[in-house]
């Protein structure tokens, strides 16, 4: 065989590293993420192909006294990666391998892998999955570290609950970059680092280059037994109502019915955990009210569960069945749902803001009145379909509530459902208009607790994967409760101690990063 023929069959060379500077044609695409509100102007973007490339990039930044940030998938709603003061962005998007590690009996996934890639590879290769979100281009790095939830999470828990170990580049007190592996089985400082990376948010302690995922109750050595197996088939129902079908009283009943069902079905092991339903309350200018429901078709009495849920949610609202549904293979359904809303899920030209709330009780009639008032305002408009809305539903409860609040850094383990307040738009000139509407909506809904869902009997704060920089403003967050209490609760002091141990120089920081004790 000739040498050139041998080269054709040679193992592909490792990617990079590649440094992209402002004069490179790739630069503009690499200094702004999915949310175009945030754009950085770094000296360079370092595209890494391996962990050793990340170590080198981090060390160069530290030695030069330059501020760095980390990119996994680029979907952060905050300015964590694309901050105006960042000098170097360490981009992990080319580190996306997915494989089974027989030594750890876990699936090794590099931090740049996107959820769509993860689902396809895990399912086609081994018939397993992670219970993550529905947007295919979200990177696993930020998603997993902040919790990570999706349509299967009521059955299988948060993604962070499945983290077996992390490979992470840290900087020690001598300002030396190095790699460590921290696992669930470790003790002492390494166990604290694993714990902090399992729900404590990204960009706090180092650069996670690889995760190993494995269910806590997994047994044996066969790969297909190490992670959840998704349903063979699912039942999918979509219901839509126009605003002229609902007056304020009917709207209030619809919202409170949705809340009540999840309050009654939030315990781990509940028959209702096989069902995940999302209600989309869209502003009158950008749509109507939609209800998307998925049920594991193999669950006992699955069709009856779906029918009873839809009946309970629409009771006394004037919306009547029968409500049709489709039976689909799980992966086909996942791909369909991932791309069914091109405005929100796949349009990378939009500006965005989100606000989140973990809910333990139903919204009151006064809160529903505030929602109705803001969603039907005629002096505000967002013409893009599905771009100004409240997403209300099931990304809480069930198996997500099984672990204790201190088992991982994610403390919200007694919520029934979540509320996500969202707005997406195109032009920077309209920032004040759309941010103003969203702030008024959220502030009025939570007016009785200073404009934010203060952790307590009714609420459990917010999720760090939906970062909201307004929480730092006393004018908008008048609760008097510090920002970290909403995201991390009583776990924050342990996160601070972990920060002091593993990032004593505060190399890894952003607008809502953990501050050392």
């Amino acid at each position: 065989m000739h040498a050139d023929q041998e080269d054709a069959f040679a193992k592909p060379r490792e990617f990079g590293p590649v440094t992209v500077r402002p004069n490179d044609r790739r630069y503009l695409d690499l200094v702004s993420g999915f949310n175009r509100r945030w754009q950085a102007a770094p000296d360079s973007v370092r595209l890494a192909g391996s962990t050793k490339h990340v170590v080198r990039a981090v060390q160069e930044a530290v030695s030069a006294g330059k501020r760095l940030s980390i990119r996994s998938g680029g979907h952060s709603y905050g300015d964590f990666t694309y901050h105006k003061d960042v000098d170097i962005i360490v981009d992990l998007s080319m580190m996306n391998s997915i494989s089974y590690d027989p030594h750890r009996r876990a699936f090794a996934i590099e931090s740049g892998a996107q959820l769509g890639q993860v689902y396809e590879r895990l399912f086609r290769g081994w018939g397993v999955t992670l219970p993550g979100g529905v947007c295919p281009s979200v990177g696993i790095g930020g998603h997993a570290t902040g919790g990570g939830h999706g349509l299967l999470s009521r059955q299988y828990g948060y993604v962070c609950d499945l983290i077996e170990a992390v490979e992470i580049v840290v900087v020690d007190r001598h300002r030396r970059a190095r790699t460590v592996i921290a696992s669930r089985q470790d003790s002492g400082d390494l166990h604290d680092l694993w714990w902090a990376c399992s729900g404590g948010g990204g960009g706090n302690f180092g650069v996670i280059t690889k995760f190993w995922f494995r269910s806590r109750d997994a047994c044996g050595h066969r790969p297909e037994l190490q992670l959840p197996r998704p349903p063979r088939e699912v039942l999918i129902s979509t219901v839509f109502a126009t605003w002229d079908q609902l007056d304020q009283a009917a709207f209030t009943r619809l919202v409170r019915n949705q809340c009540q069902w999840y309050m009654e079905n939030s315990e781990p092991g509940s028959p209702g955990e096989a069902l995940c339903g999302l209600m989309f309350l869209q502003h009158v200018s950008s749509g109507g009210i939609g209800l998307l429901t998925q049920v594991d078709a193999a669950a006992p009495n699955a069709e009856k569960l779906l029918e009873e849920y839809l009946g309970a949610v629409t009771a006394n609202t004037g919306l009547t069945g029968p409500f049709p549904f489709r039976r689909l293979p799980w992966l086909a359904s996942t791909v369909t749902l991932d791309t069914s809303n091109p405005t929100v899920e796949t349009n990378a030209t939009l500006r965005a803001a989100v606000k989140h709330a973990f809910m333990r009780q139903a919204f009151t009639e006064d809160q529903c009145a505030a929602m109705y008032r803001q969603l039907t305002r005629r002096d505000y408009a967002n013409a893009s379909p599905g771009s100004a809305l409240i997403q209300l539903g099931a990304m809480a409860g069930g198996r997500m509530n099984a672990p204790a609040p201190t088992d991982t850094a994610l403390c919200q383990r007694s919520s029934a459902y979540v509320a996500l307040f969202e707005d997406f738009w195109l032009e920077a000139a309209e920032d004040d208009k759309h941010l103003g509407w969203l702030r008024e909506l959220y502030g009025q809904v939570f007016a009785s607790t200073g404009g934010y869902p203060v952790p307590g009997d009714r609420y459990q704060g917010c999720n760090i994967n939906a970062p909201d920089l307004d929480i730092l403003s006393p004018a908008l967050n008048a609760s008097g409760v510090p920002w970290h209490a909403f995201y991390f609760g009583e776990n924050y002091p342990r996160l601070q101690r972990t920060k002091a141990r593993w990032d004593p120089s505060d190399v890894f920081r952003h607008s809502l990063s953990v501050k050392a004790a």
Side-chain angles (χ1 to χ4, degrees):
M1 183 180 291
H2 295 296
D4 57 348
Q5 291 177 304
E6 291 179 358
D7 288 343
F9 292 98
K11 183 179 179 181
R13 293 179 60 186
E14 178 183 87
F15 171 81
V18 171
T19 298
V20 174
R21 301 191 188 280
N23 61 349
D24 192 301
R25 68 180 61 208
R26 293 167 289 183
Y27 183 83
L28 291 179
D29 279 306
L30 298 180
V31 299
S32 182
F34 191 81
N35 181 1
R36 292 288 167 167
R37 277 180 67 204
W38 311 117
Q39 184 160 330
D43 300 337
S44 65
V45 178
R46 307 296 179 91
L47 287 154
S50 69
T51 300
K52 67 176 182 287
H53 296 165
V54 175
V55 172
R56 188 183 311 161
V58 170
Q59 187 63 66
E60 289 177 6
V62 170
S63 297
K66 292 184 177 292
R67 179 169 173 175
L68 60 81
S69 67
I70 310 159
R71 180 191 189 272
S72 169
H75 270 254
S76 177
Y77 289 111
D79 62 355
F80 295 1
T81 297
Y82 305 106
H83 191 279
K84 60 182 179 60
D85 295 334
V86 165
D87 301 305
I88 295 174
I89 296 175
V90 180
D91 190 312
L92 307 176
S93 58
M94 299 300 288
M95 295 178 62
N96 55 19
S97 71
I98 301 165
S99 62
Y100 181 69
D101 182 343
H103 174 70
R104 288 193 175 272
R105 293 185 296 149
F107 286 89
I109 302 179
E110 288 187 312
S111 289
Q114 297 180 351
L115 295 186
Q117 299 169 326
V118 171
Y119 301 152
E120 291 262 0
R121 178 86 173 175
L122 290 182
F123 184 70
R124 294 189 187 280
W126 299 276
V128 299
T129 195
L130 293 176
V134 298
C135 187
S137 57
V138 166
I140 191 66
H143 193 62
T145 51
H149 55 212
L151 297 179
L152 293 178
S153 292
R154 283 172 55 80
Q155 284 182 283
Y156 300 123
Y158 287 102
V159 174
C160 72
D161 295 337
L162 302 174
I163 297 175
E164 171 69 19
V166 295
E167 176 185 76
I168 180 170
V169 177
V170 297
V171 176
D172 63 24
R173 62 175 53 89
H174 303 294
R175 300 183 66 79
R176 178 173 60 95
R178 61 190 180 96
T179 306
V180 299
I181 293 176
S183 76
R184 186 185 292 154
Q185 285 73 34
D186 284 322
S187 59
D189 291 343
L190 280 173
H191 182 80
D192 285 345
L193 182 58
W194 163 83
W195 175 89
C197 292
S198 301
N204 281 304
F205 311 101
V207 184
I208 299 176
T209 52
K210 184 189 296 183
F211 296 84
W212 284 268
F213 292 101
R214 182 172 185 263
S215 298
R216 295 188 178 202
D217 58 355
C219 58
H221 293 270
R222 292 164 53 192
E224 63 269 26
L225 299 179
Q226 309 310 314
L227 279 178
R229 298 191 222 187
R232 179 184 177 90
E233 293 181 306
V234 292
L235 309 180
I236 298 292
S237 168
T238 55
V239 178
F240 184 81
T242 59
W243 276 104
D244 58 13
Q245 292 177 263
L246 297 167
D247 59 15
Q248 183 173 336
F251 171 86
T252 300
R253 282 192 291 271
L254 183 70
V255 170
R256 286 174 58 81
N257 287 347
Q258 171 87 332
C259 301
Q260 187 64 37
W261 191 92
Y262 283 105
M263 289 167 58
E264 294 172 356
N265 291 272
S266 64
E267 292 299 315
S270 161
E273 73 181 14
L275 181 148
C276 179
L278 299 175
M279 184 177 288
F280 301 92
L281 308 172
Q282 301 173 73
H283 185 268
V284 66
S285 66
S286 63
I289 295 174
L291 188 61
L292 168 68
T293 314
Q294 174 178 293
V295 181
D296 183 343
N301 302 309
E303 293 186 15
K304 182 179 180 182
L305 175 63
L306 176 59
E307 180 183 350
E308 291 181 345
Y309 163 74
L310 293 173
V313 172
T314 59
N316 302 313
T317 65
L319 303 178
T320 58
F323 301 111
F325 65 87
R326 299 176 66 193
R327 181 183 292 265
L328 294 171
W330 172 76
L331 187 60
S333 170
T334 298
V335 172
T336 299
L337 294 177
D338 283 353
T339 57
S340 62
N341 190 341
T343 301
V344 175
E345 302 297 351
T346 60
N347 189 339
T349 68
L350 297 175
R351 304 168 75 80
V354 301
K355 293 175 180 290
H356 184 278
F358 281 108
M359 303 293 298
R360 302 183 70 182
Q361 300 292 327
F363 283 113
T364 66
E365 292 196 6
D366 285 346
Q367 289 177 305
C368 291
M371 293 181 195
Y372 184 84
R373 184 168 57 250
Q374 290 293 333
L375 291 170
T376 58
R377 277 176 57 181
R378 298 291 179 173
D379 61 338
Y380 168 78
N382 188 330
S384 299
S387 290
L389 72 156
I390 303 169
Q391 186 181 141
L392 186 65
M395 303 304 189
R399 297 293 171 182
M400 288 177 277
N401 284 352
T406 56
D407 281 359
T408 71
L410 194 150
C411 66
Q412 290 90 356
R413 301 293 186 169
S414 60
S415 297
Y417 62 99
V418 300
L420 190 62
F421 300 71
E422 306 172 279
D423 208 346
F424 300 83
W425 63 97
L426 277 171
E427 302 298 335
E430 294 189 335
D431 282 3
D432 289 346
K433 167 187 169 181
H434 297 295
L435 286 171
W437 175 80
L438 189 67
R439 287 165 175 165
E440 285 185 36
L441 167 62
Y442 193 77
Q444 289 177 16
V445 168
F446 298 106
S448 66
T449 52
Y452 273 78
V454 174
D457 293 340
R458 298 194 58 80
Y459 318 118
Q460 274 207 298
C462 313
N463 183 222
I464 194 62
N465 274 359
D468 172 17
L469 304 190
D470 286 347
I471 203 169
L472 301 173
S473 167
L476 297 171
N477 174 17
S479 68
V481 176
W483 68 268
H484 52 77
F486 291 91
Y487 293 114
F488 305 120
E490 295 183 1
N491 285 340
Y492 191 62
R494 185 177 177 187
L495 287 169
Q496 289 185 289
R497 293 192 297 270
T498 305
K499 175 75 168 180
R501 166 64 181 86
W502 290 103
D503 185 21
S505 301
D506 200 24
V507 170
F508 305 100
R509 63 188 186 275
H510 53 69
S511 299
L512 295 174
S513 58
V514 173
K515 310 303 178 188

